[in-house]
Amino acid sequence: MKSVRRNEIGITKGEGEEFWLYLEGGDCNGQLSLGYRYLNGIRIGKNEEKAFQWFLKSAEGGNTEGGNIKGQNSLGYCYEYGVGIIKDEKKAFQWYLKTAEEGDCDGQYVLGVRYENGAGTSKDEEKAFQWYLISAEGGDSKGQRNLGYCYKNGIGTAKDEEKHFSEKAFQWYLISAEGGDSKGQRNLGYCYKNGIRTTKDEDKAFQWNLKSAERENSDGQYYLGYCYRNGIGTTKDKEKAFRWYLKSAKGGNSKGQYSLGYCYLNGIGTTKNEEKAFQWRLKSAEGGNSDGQYYLGYCYRNGIGTTKDEEKAFQWYLKTAEEGDCDGPYVLGVCYENGAGTSKDEEKAFQWCLKSAEGGNFNVQFIPSFVIITKYIKIDQLGSP
């Protein structure tokens, strides 16, 4: 039998059977490696069921140079996403718990996420904070970033109410960013841009957003486009702004998709194209972006890049209004006032206009039914503009 080295990475032609026999001897690192190969189809046919089985062997095997812990983590991943097995959040949690308790800082980070969101276990923000802390102190950049987020928002720990942003949040974002975490880099860029717990520094904001963007973080790419478009920490460059918005949009970022639609609509850094503007705003709206939803309604209402359709316009305005955008209720009030895309209803027009006014939008004062009905309401009930 041809010998196979203990740390064999590849499976060369003709070695498959010997390698399998070797793995069945109980080497959990080799079992883990084979699981990865089946999972990703690396020099072997992709097979998620076999990937799961080899991860299971590795997870249940002896702890050989950390292979057992990594196997447990991979098994948790399989149960979490239904890879080669029926999705089971509780089993995913149990395997992540095993790896966390055995000292794996990545498993500790994942366990924090699951406690924070109540995935496979009861939601417990204090336990989430504690596991993020353990992970962060162990050097995991994702754990460091999420620990910063906890300090910022008072998740499982006291929030700095007076200053709205704990100094510890900034420090952990900094550590995470320097450790290479793209989200931590993005968060640090935000801190420097707005002078949060540090001196405002647009040059540093740009540099950290650049690092995040180059590590394929779609949010970092969006904000880098924003920096180029507005000359924040760099020279204004519409073409570069467009390119970074495009990267962000293709990565599924709803803010990037909305901004890309804006570029196509107005010819910023690219040729004006209303059809593409509509398509990207549609993607943004479907991704839950309230600006995308609002302006998609605008496109349907005015026939921009699509056939004019007042009923669809109304539906998108309704969606953004229900999600709390103050411009959405105003336009919805206009729709009810004029019967655009829906039945005319002055009472509903008033109610949505009132909601918009309470949110700070005083354009509503010019809608006829709102003016008529507010004659009977004290103006201080609406606040002051």
Side-chain angles (χ1 to χ4, degrees), residues 290-291 293-294 315-325 328-329:
S290 60
D291 286 332
Q293 292 166 349
Y294 177 84
Q315 290 302 321
W316 282 108
Y317 285 142
L318 178 61
K319 194 170 183 65
T320 189
E322 288 174 340
E323 292 181 7
D325 184 275

Side-chain angles (χ1 to χ4, degrees), residues 165-185:
F165 197 103
S166 172
E167 291 177 5
K168 289 183 179 179
F170 175 80
Q171 291 302 322
W172 282 110
Y173 282 155
L174 177 61
I175 293 169
S176 172
E178 290 177 339
D181 182 76
S182 64
K183 290 183 180 178
Q185 292 165 343

Side-chain angles (χ1 to χ4, degrees), residues 113-128 155:
V113 173
R114 299 188 79 74
Y115 272 122
E116 184 181 350
N117 298 305
T121 187
S122 301
K123 186 172 181 176
D124 191 321
E125 290 187 350
E126 289 184 8
K127 286 185 179 179
I155 296 173

